[in-house]
Amino acid sequence: MQNFASEISAALLLILKGDAELWAIVLLSLRVSLLAVLISAMIGMPLGAALAVGRFRGRRAVIVLLNALMGLPPVVVGLLVYLMLSRSGPLGVLQLLYTPTAMIIAQVVLVTPIVAALTRQVVEMLAEEYSEQLRSLGVSCLASVPVLLWDARLALVTALLAGFGRAIAEVGAVIIVGGNINHVTRVMTTTIALETSKGNLALALALGAILIGIAVAVNALVSLLSLRAEQEGLSHA
Amino acid sequence: MRDLTADTMGTLEARGLLIGHNGSTLLDVPRLLLDGPGPTLILGPNGAGKSLLLRCLHGLIVPEAGRVLQDGHNLGPIQKARQAMVFQRPVLLRRTVTANLDFVLRRRRLNRPARRVRIEELLHEGGLAAKARQSARSLSGGEAQRLAILRALATEPEVLFLDEPTSALDPAATQAIEKMILRASSRGVRIVMVTHDIGQARRLAADVVMMQGGHVVEHGPADEVLQNPRSEAARRYLAGGLLI
């Protein structure tokens, strides 16, 4: 118990004194996850909006598939991205394996379905409400997409934060494609796993506390934005 | 801004409109010509086909048969661009009052100074100048409907369709909206409005279309239809009877 208490105080000290190694890991984690969410937003939002307003054969099947992809097992994604990027894989020539870029790719694969599926839900609900009015104003189906995305912005930020929550807390995929290399691809989750197995609980606890802090902050922001979206009459729930 | 007299109002005509569902007729209008001055009010019980007719005339619903002509031309993109519609429940963008008006003015490719001037005029007309920067979603029911009408008028329509715009409003809010409608009509905008309110028809209508069961049972000058209805359905409806 005494050891545990001393590990916690050591962890707090690491955070408070601004330990360079700890904050480098935190910053790399944030960089990887934020870039992954940004790319996912660029792919997932137009995709989700197109699915919401478009009417084509097989649309229902695509939606079912997209919703199913929200629950992709991270280790399976890690394995697939690993196979794509490994030297003998189709993208091996790019030599991206064990780089932060590989980790971003894996997170994009995990987060894009979440962003696209939530965007589809939010935009479809809004499109139902706006449909006749926009048609009456002469707005075409295609031209309605930016209108709907803008008017659903609060709920869509919530979708992005949900994606960020998934990315920042992810461990299985990034450890496979990143390799958990010190000062190169070591992020918060993979460091916690490694340092715990080594018995270096202070660093693991410090990173864990920061990760929880980020998770709480993101969830608080999601709740706040969901509340505002509800007040605006729009929520993905 | 257009400033036309009632004499210059264009015509609106429905020919052979037919919509059915599961073997039953929802709308069957062989011919309906709206060419007189002043507002046309469409009266009838629920399910009479009033809103369906309005949506057909505006091109939101394509009938199984028949066509709509505006000024003698088939309803196409050019004609639709000269029409606007206000719905029973106002659908406002999740933006400020000003941004809702700006949205349609931008689509009309007005430059920024022209948009600003027009928005000020519209806000003044609708008594919403004090709410300009407020979220449109926070407006009261009457204010929201006024904004919806202003936004429709911002498109400079030749025909304005209104689907029971005052059905959920109190007398004061209804009066404000009726004034806006009459002003628009006096400027030459053809008003075609659905209502359940016989009193409203008496206050606003130049001509009345009476509907039941998807059919136009009577159409004529408001005084004639409201005072001396020819059809049994119109007589019963105007007498307050339950038309089922």
Side-chain angles (χ1 to χ4, degrees):
Chain A
M1 193 64 184
Q2 196 177 1
N3 278 348
F4 188 57
S6 66
E7 293 289 357
I8 289 175
S9 57
L12 283 173
L13 213 58
L14 279 175
I15 296 170
L16 295 175
K17 77 175 186 187
D19 182 78
E21 187 186 353
L22 178 133
W23 287 106
I25 292 167
V26 172
L27 287 178
L28 178 65
S29 299
L30 289 173
R31 186 163 69 90
V32 167
S33 296
L34 286 172
L35 270 171
V37 171
L38 184 69
I39 296 166
S40 295
M42 289 193 291
I43 301 168
M45 283 189 172
L47 179 68
L51 269 175
V53 299
R55 292 293 176 269
F56 54 89
R57 215 176 150 92
R59 174 177 174 272
R60 187 51 48 193
V62 174
I63 290 171
V64 169
L65 180 68
L66 192 63
N67 288 340
L69 290 176
M70 286 174 78
L72 270 177
V75 285
V76 176
V77 170
L79 178 62
L80 293 173
V81 175
Y82 177 89
L83 291 172
M84 295 289 284
L85 299 180
S86 64
R87 194 174 292 177
S88 55
L91 300 176
V93 69
L94 298 174
Q95 296 188 315
L96 292 175
L97 202 59
Y98 304 130
T99 66
T101 306
M103 296 154 74
I104 291 169
I105 292 170
Q107 290 196 353
V108 166
V109 174
L110 283 168
V111 173
T112 300
I114 295 172
V115 174
L118 293 180
T119 299
R120 200 272 307 164
Q121 280 179 30
V122 166
V123 172
E124 192 167 293
M125 199 168 68
L126 194 59
E128 273 175 28
E129 183 191 333
Y130 279 17
S131 172
E132 277 198 322
Q133 183 64 75
L134 290 180
R135 281 169 55 212
S136 172
L137 292 171
V139 181
S140 68
C141 185
L142 191 65
S144 72
V145 168
V147 179
L148 293 166
L149 284 174
W150 178 250
D151 275 31
R153 57 197 178 278
L154 276 180
L156 291 179
V157 171
T158 307
L160 289 184
L161 288 174
F164 177 75
R166 163 92 169 192
I168 197 80
E170 204 286 311
V171 58
V174 291
I175 207 164
I176 293 174
V177 300
N180 204 16
I181 302 165
N182 201 12
H183 302 300
V184 181
T185 58
R186 194 163 288 178
V187 290
M188 284 192 279
T189 50
T190 59
T191 308
I192 290 169
L194 178 71
E195 297 301 328
T196 303
S197 66
K198 282 162 58 181
N200 183 6
L201 292 183
L203 183 56
L205 282 169
L207 287 168
I210 292 169
L211 194 56
I212 288 170
I214 291 170
V216 169
V218 166
N219 277 294
L221 209 51
V222 167
S223 300
L224 195 68
L225 288 169
S226 295
L227 191 68
R228 283 197 59 186
E230 265 174 38
Q231 285 168 350
E232 291 272 314
L234 182 74
S235 167
H236 66 262
Chain B
M1 187 169 57
R2 290 180 338 112
D3 190 9
L4 304 174
T5 63
D7 299 340
T8 62
M9 274 186 192
T11 62
L12 194 65
E13 187 179 358
R15 283 189 197 163
L17 291 186
L18 193 67
I19 296 178
H21 183 67
N22 289 341
S24 62
T25 301
L26 300 179
L27 190 70
D28 184 2
V29 179
R31 185 160 187 259
L32 177 67
L33 176 65
L34 306 180
D35 62 352
T40 298
L41 268 81
I42 305 175
L43 280 169
N46 285 335
K50 307 182 298 294
S51 297
L52 207 54
L53 174 62
L54 216 60
R55 280 165 170 75
C56 275
L57 292 173
H58 188 34
L60 288 177
I61 292 177
V62 180
E64 289 163 19
R67 58 192 177 133
V68 173
L69 297 110
Q70 187 175 334
D71 299 330
H73 299 284
N74 277 328
L75 194 63
I78 295 171
Q79 286 71 32
K80 283 182 191 173
R82 294 175 186 157
Q83 300 182 344
M85 182 156 173
V86 172
F87 297 87
Q88 185 173 4
R89 187 169 160 260
V91 181
L92 300 173
L93 301 177
R94 286 165 172 75
R95 307 176 189 190
T96 63
V97 169
T98 297
N100 266 272
L101 298 174
D102 196 49
F103 177 76
V104 288
L105 296 176
R106 272 175 190 268
R107 290 189 54 77
R108 289 182 51 216
R109 301 187 190 286
L110 265 64
N111 62 32
R112 187 190 288 259
R115 295 204 307 268
R116 194 175 299 155
V117 169
R118 188 72 185 111
I119 286 169
E120 274 184 29
E121 287 172 356
L122 288 163
L123 289 173
H124 179 72
E125 184 181 341
L128 291 173
K131 311 261 179 179
R133 291 171 189 276
Q134 202 169 308
S135 165
R137 311 284 292 189
S138 67
L139 296 177
S140 69
E143 290 167 343
Q145 197 58 285
R146 260 151 52 206
L147 177 58
I149 293 172
L150 290 177
R151 191 178 55 186
L153 291 174
T155 66
E156 301 286 328
E158 291 174 12
V159 183
L160 176 60
F161 298 103
L162 300 115
D163 191 0
E164 298 188 53
T166 60
S167 63
L169 303 181
D170 64 20
T174 299
Q175 186 185 42
I177 282 170
E178 288 183 359
K179 279 182 181 172
M180 289 175 77
I181 292 168
L182 287 174
R183 272 201 301 270
S185 178
S186 70
R187 285 203 299 264
V189 179
R190 177 170 293 291
I191 303 292
V192 185
M193 176 169 160
V194 166
T195 186
H196 276 291
D197 183 347
I198 297 164
Q200 187 166 57
R202 291 188 204 284
R203 290 191 296 274
L204 297 183
D207 63 318
V208 167
V209 176
M210 187 73 206
M211 294 191 73
Q212 191 196 7
H215 302 272
V216 172
V217 292
E218 199 160 337
H219 175 214
D223 288 346
E224 281 181 25
V225 177
L226 297 174
Q227 300 299 331
N228 301 302
R230 282 175 284 117
S231 66
E232 177 60 25
R235 266 196 296 276
R236 282 177 55 202
Y237 186 79
L238 295 170
L242 293 174
L243 280 185
I244 298 167

